[in-house]
């Protein structure tokens, strides 16, 4: 393992003013997104859509440090025959890959899940590295509900995350460690804080046990936020302050950066929260975004599967990328949302 090279990639991923585009939706997930815009999900339509994003000029070169790809996408070629990985590299972004294989029910823990995909991961990582991937992502899913999460679910998911991270570093790939505490429930922000603290403490304990070099990884956590069904939604400033407090409590300063998931927040909400956190300042790590839906909902709608809508889709993507770029520097203002990107 060449730690200085891993650290160089990790630092590039969290370059100030840039963040990650999570374009790693599974075939099932992107079908749901395409159903919503009445577009048939085929290998070709998925490729055309992602090619549109990767060819978005300034948005990619100025605001996007890296792109998380799905297995199908990393091997695909654009309409003109150029590998999609090359389009990303030409834009000055780093190609990355989602390597987990989804979740399955956790035995003995009703309603809880464990992420799978470790079995042949070492050989898959070697293939992905040859294809150009320099970072990877593995998502663990922790739900909040009555009597959950259990210590079992937290432990097995933290253990798998750390094993994945160690395998990545061994393959000279930067691991993005994503323990996502879901915001689907009716819990309040304080319950989210407590559960996320338990999860992050366990994850970092496992990372140390499995000798993962913290300087060569990125953390991709949820924000500390009210559950979507909670009658009292915490305001932006409270989310920012509690998230920062928790990160200071749990995340060692050796970690180069934290790239938040949006977790089902709407576009502007995810941007406002990131901006408020960066305005607090004085942090040992860089804070940026690793958004899927919060970057893509607007361009998907504008594109709607029609070739003539590609410029409109790219403009919508450019606008969201710019808003989040500003938020990652603590320079976003709500009134900028009304001015569409030029």
């Amino acid at each position: 393992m060449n730690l200085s090279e891993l650290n160089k990639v990790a630092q590039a991923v969290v370059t100030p003013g840039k963040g990650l585009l999570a374009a790693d939706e599974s075939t099932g997930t992107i079908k749901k997104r395409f159903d919503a815009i009445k577009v048939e999900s085929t290998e070709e339509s998925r490729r055309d859509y992602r090619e549109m994003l990767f060819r978005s000029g300034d948005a990619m070169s100025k605001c996007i440090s890296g792109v998380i790809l799905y297995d199908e996408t990393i091997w695909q070629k654009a309409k003109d025959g150029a590998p999609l990985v090359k389009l990303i590299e030409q834009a000055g972004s780093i190609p990355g890959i989602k390597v987990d294989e989804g979740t399955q029910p956790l035995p003995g823990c009703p309603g809880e899940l464990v992420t799978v995909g470790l079995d042949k991961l070492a050989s898959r990582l070697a293939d992905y590295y040859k294809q150009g991937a320099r970072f990877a992502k593995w998502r663990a899913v922790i739900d909040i509900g009555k009597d959950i999460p259990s210590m079992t679910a937290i432990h097995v998911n933290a253990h798998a995350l750390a094993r994945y991270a160690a395998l990545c570093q061994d393959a000279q790939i930067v691991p993005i460690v994503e323990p996502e505490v879901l915001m689907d429930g009716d819990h309040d922000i304080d319950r989210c804080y407590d559960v996320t603290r338990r999860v992050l403490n366990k994850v970092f304990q496992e990372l140390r046990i499995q000798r993962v070099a913290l300087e060569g990884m990125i953390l991709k956590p949820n924000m500390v936020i009210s559950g979507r069904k909670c009658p009292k939604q915490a305001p932006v400033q409270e989310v920012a302050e509690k998230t920062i407090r928790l990160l200071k409590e749990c995340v060692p300063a050796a970690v180069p950066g934290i790239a938040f998931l949006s977790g089902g927040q709407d576009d502007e909400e995810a941007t406002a929260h990131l901006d408020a956190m960066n305005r607090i300042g004085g942090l040992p790590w860089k804070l940026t975004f690793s958004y899927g839906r919060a970057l893509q909902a607007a361009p998907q709608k504008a594109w709607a599967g029609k070739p003539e809508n590609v410029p409109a889709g790219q403009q919508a993507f450019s606008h969201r990328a710019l808003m989040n770029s500003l938020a990652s520097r603590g320079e976003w203002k709500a009134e900028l949302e009304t001015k569409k990107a030029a």
Side-chain angles (χ1 to χ4, degrees), residues 1 3 5-8 10 165 168-169 173-176 212-218 254-256:
M1 176 180 75
L3 183 53
E5 282 303 311
L6 286 171
N7 179 256
K8 208 182 282 179
C168 281
Q169 291 189 338
I173 285 177
V174 170
I176 292 188
V212 173
L214 301 184
E215 299 88 344
M217 65 162 274
I218 301 285
V255 174

Side-chain angles (χ1 to χ4, degrees), residues 14-19 62-64 288-289 321 324-326 328-329:
V14 292
T15 299
K18 290 188 172 188
K62 294 181 177 169
C63 307
I64 304 296
T288 190
F289 56 91
N324 287 304
S325 166
L326 292 169
S328 74
R329 295 176 182 271

